[in-house]
Amino acid sequence: MDWDSVAAEDVIEALREVEWSTSPRSFAEFFSRFAFPRSFSKWMSRLKCNLYYYRTNYFILLILVLGLALITRPLAILGAGLTALSLAFLNDSFAATFNEKMIRTIRHFSPHLAAKMRPPHMPVIRGRSAVRKKVYVCGQPRLVFVLLGLTASLVLWVTSCGLLWVLYAFATALLMIILHASLRTPNLKARLNTYREEFRAVWRNYSEL
């Protein structure tokens, strides 16, 4: 795939829709080869490729950095966990899986409540949804859970007096991710293996809407 022709918004959209339950890349592969890009276009292409290909590794790295930085602040750690969960809801597959598991669990206690938590029916025209697919969690739009989780995280961080420390840790993790994605040379596996088919499938799905 020619990553030069892939816009940043396309990568963000693909990360939102792609399956995130895949295992992270191995430690040896993650830290195997590094080199400076030869041009700005090469750097942008490498950055987009690595952000997509090593997405699970970067998410784990973000959680580890926040966890280590906040190890002496339990409330801040809880806030970081809520933030991670809220951001995970932005991914379609995670939100859908979480919604199904929650509804199945609640069904054991209250089938009536579980039925109410089902997402509304979307009209279909000629085999496709009439509107862009919306993701619901426990019967509510996904954005509601994202905003509630981020608000609760902010309250926990302020309560623990660790808001600035959290921002510093988050900035550090973000810098580490950008540096790795900029310097890690895409290997043959990253170029030719499963990421190509995954990205094309995602891109084809939303380009047909």
Side-chain angles (χ1 to χ4, degrees):
M1 176 176 292
D2 183 11
W3 286 92
D4 292 332
S5 62
V6 179
E9 53 268 23
D10 295 330
V11 178
I12 295 174
E13 187 73 9
L15 290 174
R16 187 180 69 84
E17 296 184 357
V18 78
E19 178 63 54
W20 277 70
S21 60
T22 55
S23 302
R25 310 300 173 182
S26 66
F27 186 84
E29 179 185 349
F30 192 59
F31 292 103
S32 60
R33 293 181 57 191
F34 295 90
F36 286 100
R38 290 174 290 181
S39 63
F40 179 78
S41 61
K42 292 290 185 182
W43 173 68
M44 287 299 298
S45 178
R46 180 185 298 182
L47 185 66
K48 289 180 285 190
C49 176
N50 286 335
L51 285 176
Y52 183 82
Y53 186 69
Y54 294 111
R55 58 187 180 273
T56 307
N57 296 73
Y58 292 145
F59 188 75
I60 294 175
L61 177 62
L62 175 63
I63 299 302
L64 286 177
V65 171
L66 288 175
L68 291 175
L70 304 174
I71 195 170
T72 59
R73 301 173 186 267
L75 288 179
I77 292 179
L78 181 58
L82 283 175
T83 300
L85 181 62
S86 302
L87 296 178
F89 277 132
L90 295 176
N91 178 255
D92 290 356
S93 64
F94 179 87
T97 301
F98 181 89
N99 179 62
E100 283 298 320
K101 290 184 177 180
M102 283 294 298
I103 291 177
R104 289 177 183 176
T105 302
I106 295 176
R107 187 185 297 140
H108 293 295
F109 305 97
S110 176
H112 181 68
L113 178 59
K116 286 186 176 181
M117 295 171 62
R118 284 288 180 184
H121 175 70
M122 295 295 180
V124 176
I125 300 178
R126 293 182 181 179
R128 294 187 301 176
S129 298
V131 295
R132 187 174 180 82
K133 178 183 177 182
K134 292 184 179 180
V135 180
Y136 288 81
V137 179
C138 298
Q140 299 298 321
R142 165 176 51 188
L143 186 60
V144 172
F145 279 81
V146 174
L147 294 178
L148 286 176
L150 293 178
T151 302
S153 301
L154 181 61
V155 172
L156 289 173
W157 289 340
V158 172
T159 304
S160 64
C161 302
L163 181 58
L164 292 179
W165 186 245
V166 168
L167 294 177
Y168 170 76
F170 184 82
T172 301
L174 188 62
L175 178 61
M176 293 173 63
I177 291 172
I178 293 177
L179 284 176
H180 182 277
S182 300
L183 299 178
R184 175 65 173 88
T185 57
N187 54 19
L188 183 62
K189 184 178 180 181
R191 292 180 183 275
L192 301 178
N193 206 350
T194 55
Y195 87 94
R196 176 185 297 178
E197 299 303 325
E198 291 174 350
F199 190 91
R200 284 180 176 174
V202 171
W203 202 352
R204 182 167 55 251
N205 286 338
Y206 72 76
S207 64
E208 291 176 353
L209 294 177

